[in-house]
Structures are given as C-alpha cells and as structure tokens.
C-alpha cells in the first residue's frame, strides 16, 4: 500500500460526520505510537511534518520512517507538510514523496495569499498532490514564530468562496478561536470557539473539507503529571474535547494535534525517570513514552474525532 492523498478520506469524513486526525511527527517513537493506534482503531490517518520537524530529523529520515510504518501496518497513510511557508518548501516536499502540502499564506494580504497558494496548487496538482490553504490567522507558537492574540484574526466567511475558487485548494484551514501550543485560553475564562463562523463557511462551501489547527485539548491528566514530576506548566489549557467533537460533525474533516502528543510523551518521560532514577537506557523511558502517544491518539480517534473503524 503506497502513501495516499487525503481526497477519499475527506469525502468519507464529510459524509460520515467525523474528522480525520492529523498528528505531527518528529521521530520514530512518535510515528510508531500514532500508527499503532491507527492500526488498533482501524482509523484513517494523516501524519504531518513541519519545517521544524524536517530541520530536526531531516526529510529523508522522516520519509523512510513513514514508509516503514506503511509497510508495517498496511494502513493507507497521507503524508502532509504542515505550515509550508513558501513555494520552495512545498515543492521540495512534493518532489520528496509527500502526498499533501499546506501552503500557509495567512500572514500575507488576501491577494498575495491567493497568488502564492495558486502557484503551489498548480505545481502540486500537476503531480497528483493535494493542497491545504489557510484564511484567517491563528494565535500561538509555531516553529519559534509567535503570533500574538492581537495579530491573530478570525476567518471572514465572505472571502472563502473567492479564495477556494481562485486558488483551487483541496481543503481550507480557518481560524475560529483555536491557537497553537499549550496555552490557548486565559485561566479562569470559559474557552469559546466561533462556531457561527464555521457554520457560515460550511454553508458557503457545501461538501468542502475544512481544517482545524491548534486543536489539542491539553489533557489535564498529563499537565498534572508534568507538574508533579518537576515540570512547570501552570495554566496550560486547550480546546475542550466536546467542541472538537461538534466541529467534526460539522464541515471540519481534518483536526491537527501536536501539543497533546508532546505533553503525553514528556509527562511519561518525567514520571519514568523520577520513579526510576537509576535508568539511563533510552529504551527504558521511550517505551512508555511511545505507549502514552498510542493511548492519546487512540482516545482522540475513538472519543473525539469519531474516525475509529473508518479506514
Ligand atoms: O503548528 C505547529 C505544529 O505544532 C508544529 O510545531 O513547528 O514546532 O514543529 P513545530
Ligand atoms: P496544537 O498545538 O493545538 O497541537 O496544534 C497543532 C497544529 O495545528 C499543527 O499544525
Ligand atoms: Zn497548525
């Protein structure tokens, strides 16, 4: 089974009222934990790689590890570039075997975003690869770039049809109040998302797959473990899972999760080393860390995204 695009996955997800999980990968244990969960849950899967992940692990290592996961599990997997910020990085990933790329022109003007996205779409489609675009800007931290709440902006539903028509994108990420990282809402305030924007976008683009970034719930059981074993993450708050469930039943077909995996892995390593101070073999602490990733991903698929059994 070769790597696949997300076209069929999104069609089924839209019709079935669920979302496909897109999980960020940076190393072997993360890839194994996620793909073991997908195999166990018989779930469709998108693995995504950021520019930072490519810099950390090198494109070729991640590519070969994902190919190994496809061979090992027999799963149809889509391999996606997360937050490509230039034509060059998108082209490099397309030429290097990815089946999907995101061109994130959200920091540019509407016209510049359209022009850049269109250029990527033309190249990608000529190679049979799909493209995710973005309209509106999320707050939070990605790849050392911090977008303040003041610089973030909700997606304007009045622009989505023109953007999709002029660019030819295959899916669209929108900003409805989620943000990247582990600190999404002010402690003590009630997390809120602009479901009215999602609903309006859905009406204007019937049948078209919408993507939600910044969708980690920042699971409090793992925050508690981190804080118990020497970490400091006070006030780490994410998107309530019931809101993600609701979005999955609407037009959202792809939900991006990274921070929850980082948190589960770090909590596991901190706990293991605190309880086993004599351990120094990485396999001793990376085995439970990989298990923690598998458990979180299986939970998301089954109880949040609704994609278990849909592969
Ligand atoms: O959206 C950002 C993802 O969490 C990837 O993060 O750029 O630090 O690899 P990264
Ligand atoms: P989180 O930081 O909420 O996991 O978001 C990840 C993401 O959007 C990757 O593109
Ligand atoms: Zn993102």
């Amino acid at each position: 089974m070769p790597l696949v695009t997300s076209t069929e996955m999104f069609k089924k997800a839209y019709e079935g009222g669920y979302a496909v999980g897109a999980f960020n990968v940076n190393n072997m244990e993360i890839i194994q934990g996620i793909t073991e969960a997908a195999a166990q849950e018989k779930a469709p899967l998108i693995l995504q790689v950021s520019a930072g992940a490519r810099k950390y692990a090198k494109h070729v290592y991640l590519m070969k590890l994902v190919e190994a996961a496809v061979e090992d599990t027999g799963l149809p997997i889509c391999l996606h570039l997360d937050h490509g910020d230039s034509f060059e990085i998108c082209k490099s990933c397309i030429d290097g075997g990815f089946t999907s790329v995101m061109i994130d022109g959200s920091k540019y003007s509407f016209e510049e975003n359209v022009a850049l996205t269109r250029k990527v779409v033309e190249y990608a489609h000529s190679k049979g690869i799909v493209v995710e675009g973005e309209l509106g800007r999320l707050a939070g931290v990605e790849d050392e770039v911090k977008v303040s709440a003041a610089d973030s902006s909700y997606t304007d539903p009045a622009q989505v049809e023109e953007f999709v028509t002029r660019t030819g994108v295959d899916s669209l990420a929108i900003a409805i109040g989620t943000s990247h990282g582990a600190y999404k809402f002010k402690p003590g305030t009630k997390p809120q998302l602009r479901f009215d924007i999602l609903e309006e976008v859905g009406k204007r683009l019937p049948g078209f797959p919408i993507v939600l970034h910044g969708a980690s719930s920042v699971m409090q059981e793992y925050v508690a473990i981190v804080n118990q074993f020497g970490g400091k993450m006070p006030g780490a708050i994410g998107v309530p899972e019931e809101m993600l469930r609701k979005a999955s039943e609407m037009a959202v077909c792809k939900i991006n999760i990274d921070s929850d995996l980082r948190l589960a892995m770090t909590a596991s390593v901190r706990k293991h080393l605190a309880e086993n101070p004599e351990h120094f073999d990485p396999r001793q602490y990376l085995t439970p860390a990989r298990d923690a990733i598998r458990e979180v991903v299986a939970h998301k698929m089954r109880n949040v995204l609704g994609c278990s059994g849909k592969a």
Side-chain angles (χ1 to χ4, degrees):
M1 163 78 67
L3 288 167
V4 298
T5 71
S6 49
T7 306
E8 277 307 303
M9 290 182 189
F10 287 167
K11 197 166 173 287
K12 284 170 67 183
Y14 195 97
E15 284 163 8
Y18 62 89
V20 180
F23 301 96
N24 287 73
V25 299
N26 292 278
N27 68 15
M28 184 187 76
E29 285 76 11
I30 296 174
I31 291 171
Q32 288 179 333
I34 297 167
T35 51
E36 281 170 15
Q40 174 193 310
E41 295 298 314
K42 299 189 175 32
L45 179 63
I46 299 171
L47 294 178
Q48 55 187 13
V49 169
S50 68
R54 280 175 101 228
K55 197 165 143 198
Y56 171 75
K58 286 193 183 172
H59 181 99
V60 66
Y61 283 83
L62 293 171
M63 191 70 217
K64 300 286 178 197
L65 284 167
V66 171
E67 281 171 358
V70 170
E71 191 179 322
D72 186 40
T73 61
L75 285 173
I77 294 175
C78 170
L79 180 56
H80 174 77
L81 167 66
D82 191 26
H83 293 284
D85 68 351
S86 66
F87 173 78
E88 289 69 30
I89 190 172
C90 292
K91 180 176 185 303
S92 168
C93 287
I94 293 165
D95 294 347
F98 283 32
T99 49
S100 173
V101 293
M102 175 188 193
I103 177 67
D104 181 355
S106 61
K107 63 173 184 270
Y108 298 117
S109 70
F110 183 80
E111 285 302 324
E112 288 167 329
N113 190 357
V114 167
L116 176 61
T117 305
R118 177 75 217 154
K119 187 175 172 193
V120 172
V121 168
E122 276 169 10
Y123 186 74
H125 284 184
S126 75
K127 308 276 179 188
I129 302 308
V130 292
V131 180
E132 173 185 326
E134 178 164 333
L135 255 188
R137 196 157 190 219
L138 269 72
V141 188
E142 319 150 18
D143 224 359
E144 292 155 30
V145 179
K146 192 168 186 324
V147 182
S148 70
D151 288 335
S152 66
S153 56
Y154 294 117
T155 302
D156 177 358
Q159 293 184 325
V160 297
E161 291 143 291
E162 185 184 346
F163 186 81
V164 167
T165 312
R166 285 178 61 194
T167 59
V169 282
D170 303 279
S171 61
L172 181 69
I174 62 168
I176 59 167
T178 62
S179 61
H180 292 109
Y183 302 87
K184 299 187 192 295
F185 300 99
K186 280 208 179 76
T189 62
K190 201 169 169 290
Q192 279 184 337
L193 296 186
R194 292 286 306 272
F195 281 102
D196 58 318
I197 295 180
L198 174 57
E199 199 174 341
E200 186 58 31
V201 168
K203 276 190 200 145
R204 286 169 183 258
L205 296 173
F208 191 81
I210 300 303
V211 178
L212 202 58
H213 283 246
S216 280
S217 327
V218 188
M219 298 166 77
Q220 292 300 302
E221 56 266 49
Y222 292 108
V223 175
I225 295 171
V226 167
N227 288 336
Q228 185 187 346
F229 293 101
K232 268 198 192 139
M233 297 186 69
I237 297 172
V239 183
E241 291 186 336
E242 59 274 16
M243 291 190 184
L244 299 168
R245 188 80 277 280
K246 182 174 167 183
S248 306
E249 286 163 7
M250 297 170 73
V252 170
C253 294
K254 172 175 180 273
I255 288 199
N256 285 11
I257 298 175
D258 186 4
S259 296
D260 272 332
L261 307 189
R262 297 177 177 192
L263 186 59
M265 193 164 201
T266 300
S268 170
V269 171
R270 280 192 180 279
K271 183 171 189 289
H272 184 91
L273 291 176
E275 289 176 347
N276 302 276
E278 73 286 8
H279 282 181
F280 69 99
D281 178 344
R283 292 172 297 187
Q284 289 169 314
Y285 55 84
L286 289 177
T287 299
R290 182 173 55 193
D291 292 345
I293 297 257
R294 190 187 61 241
E295 279 162 27
V296 167
V297 172
H299 160 71
K300 298 284 178 187
M301 290 170 160
R302 201 177 322 131
N303 305 318
V304 183
L305 311 173
C307 62
S308 290
K310 312 286 189 187

